């Protein structure tokens, strides 16, 4: 999935926005431009809205009220004010402000959704949303408020800034919306019929934050593979379970891809030949790493398939069909597949976390690993890495807690009308926290595995483990006497696992195997 990228800008056409594009805008401040065909598309759609308003055709959210008030016909002279009331009345989110990259991702997702056509919004509104991104005016959006029936209560806070109200961050300062716009050289928009509803509609928080989460999940999966390969080296693991002939007898989703990546990482070392393994059969956490990581590959593929239409489609209700001049009721705002995909991804991450902690514990056990107890050269008079296993288990416990499905939670909106929703935005947001904990957990395993490699002293390491071992040793020395290891874990997380250089090098290795 590739978007239109020109140097440090992203061209939005409503059809081809990629996860890399979302990351570029959200994290790296790339500028946003609209493709040439976007404004003509919006003009055609808006002409249909104006025609329906002129003829007073009963149309949800345009000439009628919203939710349980959809049977109420709005007076013609109240339609503009109704747009403003729609924004003000739905800005009900609470909690800490969402991080700026998440806000930028949500804004970009909404811009792209509007650019795809079907919303009927005035083109000037889209121009202002793009200007917010390019001028780095970031509406303050509280973190809690969406139940997945569109991200109404949170995106309305964007709408407030669009009309010069609410709050926004600009140049490191949180200001009232009007002041933030003025300092950025922008002016508030005047809303027309339907504009207020469009600003609140669809699921751009779920889509934008989801894109960031999926992008990072792919990176974390590569890290999990590399850290596992490092553990293989320290444990002197048996690679026969990665043999293509074995896997082809039961081709579970993703397992062959994961196995090929592990073998590519191990290439150049001794373990490619199973005869160099220390044991005939290893614990499940090593022996079945390809099956577990393969399941995460499969879950990620499912999530990508569910998110792409949300990121590059019209999630409005109602939708405008310019070719026929109609405005039809729509269920495109509903995101059950996306919510289910986020839940599935959370469960797959939990499985990956669980075996990481178990591999680390196996390295500490001399009866299983053949290495000194707790990987200390001094024997049982030192603690070594034993206390760190508690940290690993605490991280797994939190990851497991966060994996509880949110798509099955009972919920409802407006009486008798909005009687189902998906919690997709919550599903995406909890993935962000899970991924932080995953990086910390993998840093624990990497730290311990590097020590195991030092003690096992193989004559040659595979290219992936060799790269990772060198990177760990550049920031953390081997464990000699007991010392605080929490700071070492955070160093490995920050300077190794979150390093763009390390990630790029590992991605190049596994990319050649996929």
């Amino acid at each position: 999935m590739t978007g239109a990228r020109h140097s440090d800008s992203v061209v939005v056409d409503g059809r081809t926005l990629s996860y890399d594009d979302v990351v570029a805008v959200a994290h790296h401040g790339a500028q946003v431009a609209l493709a040439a065909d976007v404004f003509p598309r919006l003009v055609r759609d808006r002409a249909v809205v104006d025609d329906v308003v002129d003829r007073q055709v009963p149309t949800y959210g345009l000439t009628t009220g919203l939710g349980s008030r959809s049977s109420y016909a709005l007076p013609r002279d109240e339609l503009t004010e109704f747009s403003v009331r729609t924004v003000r009345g739905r800005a009900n989110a609470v909690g800490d402000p969402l991080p700026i990259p998440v806000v930028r991702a949500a804004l970009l997702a909404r811009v792209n959704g509007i650019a795809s056509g079907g919303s009927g919004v005035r083109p000037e509104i889209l121009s202002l949303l793009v200007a917010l991104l390019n001028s780095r005016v970031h509406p303050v959006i509280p973190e809690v408020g969406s139940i997945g029936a569109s991200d109404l209560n949170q995106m309305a806070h964007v709408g407030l800034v669009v009309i010069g109200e609410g709050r926004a961050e600009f140049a490191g300062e949180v200001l009232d919306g009007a002041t933030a716009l003025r300092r950025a050289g922008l002016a508030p928009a005047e809303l027309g019929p339907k504009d207020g509803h469009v600003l609140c509609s669809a699921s751009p928080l779920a889509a934008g934050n989801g894109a960031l989460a999926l992008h990072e999940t792919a990176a974390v999966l590569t890290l999990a593979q590399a850290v596992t390969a490092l553990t293989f080296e320290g444990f002197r693991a048996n690679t026969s379970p990665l043999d293509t002939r074995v896997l082809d007898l039961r081709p579970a989703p993703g397992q062959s891809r994961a196995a090929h990546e592990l073998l590519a990482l191990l290439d150049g070392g001794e373990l490619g030949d199973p005869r160099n393994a220390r044991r005939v059969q290893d614990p499940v956490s090593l022996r079945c790493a390809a099956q577990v990581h393969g399941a995460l590959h499969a879950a990620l593929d499912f999530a990508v398939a569910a998110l792409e239409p949300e990121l590059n489609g019209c999630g409005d209700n109602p939708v405008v069909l310019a070719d026929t001049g109609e405005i039809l009721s729509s269920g495109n705002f509903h995101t059950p597949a996306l919510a289910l995909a986020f839940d599935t991804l959370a469960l797959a991450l939990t499985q990956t976390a669980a075996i990481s902690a178990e591999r680390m514990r196996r390295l500490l056990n001399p009866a299983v690993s053949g290495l000194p107890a707790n990987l200390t050269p001094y024997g049982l008079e030192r603690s070594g890495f034993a206390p760190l296993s508690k940290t690993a288990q605490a991280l797994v416990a939190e990851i497991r807690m966060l994996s509880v499905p949110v798509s099955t939670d009972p919920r409802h909106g407006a009486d008798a009308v909005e009687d189902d929703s998906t919690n997709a935005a919550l599903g995406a947001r909890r993935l962000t926290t899970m991924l932080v904990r995953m990086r910390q957990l993998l840093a624990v395993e990497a730290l311990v595995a590097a020590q195991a490699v030092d003690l096992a002293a193989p004559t040659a390491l595979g290219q992936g483990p060799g790269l990772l071992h060198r990177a760990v040793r550049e920031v953390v020395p081997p464990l000699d006497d007991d010392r605080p290891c929490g700071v070492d874990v955070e160093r490995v997380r920050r300077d190794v696992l979150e390093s763009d250089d390390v990630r790029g090098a590992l991605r190049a290795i596994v990319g050649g195997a996929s």
Side-chain angles (χ1 to χ4, degrees), residues 180-334:
L181 290 175
R182 184 173 65 254
R183 289 192 183 178
L186 304 174
E190 293 185 7
L191 302 186
K194 202 177 189 297
D195 292 342
H197 193 205
V198 172
L199 285 167
C200 303
S201 286
S203 302
L205 267 174
N209 203 8
L212 296 179
L214 266 58
H215 189 275
E216 181 60 17
T217 299
V220 164
L221 176 50
T222 298
L223 294 174
Q225 292 275 72
V227 171
T228 299
L230 186 61
T231 294
F232 268 48
E233 295 281 13
F235 195 86
R236 311 311 293 155
N238 192 316
T239 56
S240 64
L242 305 178
D243 192 305
T244 300
R245 295 168 298 175
V246 173
L247 299 174
D248 286 348
L249 294 173
R250 201 283 314 257
Q255 70 175 11
S256 289
R257 179 178 177 186
H260 292 159
E261 291 175 354
L262 283 168
L263 289 173
L265 289 160
L266 292 166
D267 185 49
E270 302 169 340
L271 296 182
D273 185 345
R275 291 174 297 183
N276 292 324
R278 200 179 57 81
R279 301 165 59 101
V280 174
Q281 179 159 279
D282 295 326
V284 168
S285 57
L286 286 95
R287 188 176 2 131
C288 299
Q291 281 72 25
V292 174
H293 293 177
L296 180 52
H297 266 307
L300 188 56
D301 289 344
F302 174 36
V304 167
L307 183 55
E308 284 186 357
E310 193 64 40
L311 197 60
N312 285 286
C314 174
D316 285 87
N317 174 42
V319 294
V320 176
L321 303 179
D323 289 345
T324 61
E326 297 174 280
I327 301 181
L328 302 182
S329 180
S330 162
N332 287 355
F333 63 90
H334 206 43

Side-chain angles (χ1 to χ4, degrees), residues 147-509:
I147 59 173
S150 289
D151 298 325
L152 297 167
N153 282 358
Q154 289 176 283
M155 290 307 294
H157 290 266
V158 175
L160 287 178
V161 175
V162 166
I163 62 175
E165 300 178 10
R167 295 187 303 153
E169 182 274 337
F170 177 70
E173 189 177 358
V174 176
L175 309 163
D176 66 84
T179 302
L181 290 175
R182 184 173 65 254
R183 289 192 183 178
L186 304 174
E190 293 185 7
L191 302 186
K194 202 177 189 297
D195 292 342
H197 193 205
V198 172
L199 285 167
C200 303
S201 286
S203 302
L205 267 174
N209 203 8
L212 296 179
L214 266 58
H215 189 275
E216 181 60 17
T217 299
V220 164
L221 176 50
T222 298
L223 294 174
Q225 292 275 72
V227 171
T228 299
L230 186 61
T231 294
F232 268 48
E233 295 281 13
F235 195 86
R236 311 311 293 155
N238 192 316
T239 56
S240 64
L242 305 178
D243 192 305
T244 300
R245 295 168 298 175
V246 173
L247 299 174
D248 286 348
L249 294 173
R250 201 283 314 257
Q255 70 175 11
S256 289
R257 179 178 177 186
H260 292 159
E261 291 175 354
L262 283 168
L263 289 173
L265 289 160
L266 292 166
D267 185 49
E270 302 169 340
L271 296 182
D273 185 345
R275 291 174 297 183
N276 292 324
R278 200 179 57 81
R279 301 165 59 101
V280 174
Q281 179 159 279
D282 295 326
V284 168
S285 57
L286 286 95
R287 188 176 2 131
C288 299
Q291 281 72 25
V292 174
H293 293 177
L296 180 52
H297 266 307
L300 188 56
D301 289 344
F302 174 36
V304 167
L307 183 55
E308 284 186 357
E310 193 64 40
L311 197 60
N312 285 286
C314 174
D316 285 87
N317 174 42
V319 294
V320 176
L321 303 179
D323 289 345
T324 61
E326 297 174 280
I327 301 181
L328 302 182
S329 180
S330 162
N332 287 355
F333 63 90
H334 206 43
T335 52
L338 186 59
L340 180 61
F342 289 155
D343 280 348
T344 303
L345 198 58
L347 292 167
L349 283 167
T350 302
Q351 289 188 333
T352 300
I355 65 167
S356 172
E358 291 308 308
R359 283 192 302 268
M360 177 263 193
R361 291 176 61 191
R362 297 296 84 76
L363 288 172
L364 303 182
N365 186 340
V368 181
S369 69
L371 298 170
N374 302 320
L375 300 184
T376 171
Y378 294 105
L380 295 177
E381 66 182 46
R382 300 290 199 277
S383 297
F385 286 113
L388 201 54
S389 65
K390 295 181 174 63
T391 302
Q393 290 302 312
L395 289 166
V396 172
E398 186 169 345
I399 291 167
R400 185 181 297 115
M401 176 193 70
L402 289 167
S403 73
V404 173
V406 300
S407 61
T408 57
D409 184 59
R411 62 270 165 193
H412 62 85
D415 291 344
V417 178
E418 296 169 0
D419 53 359
D420 189 49
S421 55
T422 68
N423 285 330
L426 173 59
R429 180 160 58 89
R430 63 75 196 275
L431 286 174
T432 302
T433 305
M434 292 184 76
L435 291 164
V436 172
R437 299 292 178 251
M438 282 293 304
R439 293 192 296 272
Q440 291 169 324
L441 179 61
L442 291 172
V444 171
E445 184 184 353
L447 182 65
V448 174
Q451 181 85 356
V453 166
D454 292 336
L455 295 172
T459 57
L461 294 177
Q463 57 178 338
L467 184 156
L468 196 54
H469 184 267
R470 290 190 298 273
V472 170
R473 285 292 168 253
E474 285 176 5
V475 299
V476 176
L479 183 69
D480 185 20
D481 207 346
D482 288 349
R483 68 172 186 248
C485 289
V487 291
D488 292 343
V489 170
E490 290 295 359
R491 230 177 253 121
V492 171
R493 173 195 59 80
R494 182 186 66 243
D495 298 335
V496 178
L497 301 188
E498 294 178 3
S499 161
D500 288 340
D501 289 342
V502 171
R503 289 182 172 204
L506 292 174
R507 189 164 54 244
I509 295 171

Side-chain angles (χ1 to χ4, degrees), residues 76-153:
R76 176 68 176 82
D77 59 0
E78 287 188 16
L79 296 186
T80 296
E81 183 58 29
F82 178 70
S83 256
V84 176
R85 289 201 307 268
T86 295
V87 170
R88 289 174 178 161
R90 280 158 184 76
N92 297 314
V94 298
D96 294 333
L98 289 170
I100 287 174
V102 174
V103 173
R104 291 182 63 80
L107 279 171
L108 180 63
R110 192 64 191 118
V111 164
N112 196 57
I114 291 173
S116 71
S119 73
V121 75
R122 291 168 60 237
E124 296 88 337
I125 302 298
L126 181 60
S127 294
L128 183 52
L129 291 177
V130 172
L132 293 182
L133 282 167
N134 290 341
S135 301
R136 300 192 66 82
V137 175
H138 305 125
V140 173
I141 306 176
E143 63 183 345
V144 179
S146 173
I147 59 173
S150 289
D151 298 325
L152 297 167
N153 282 358

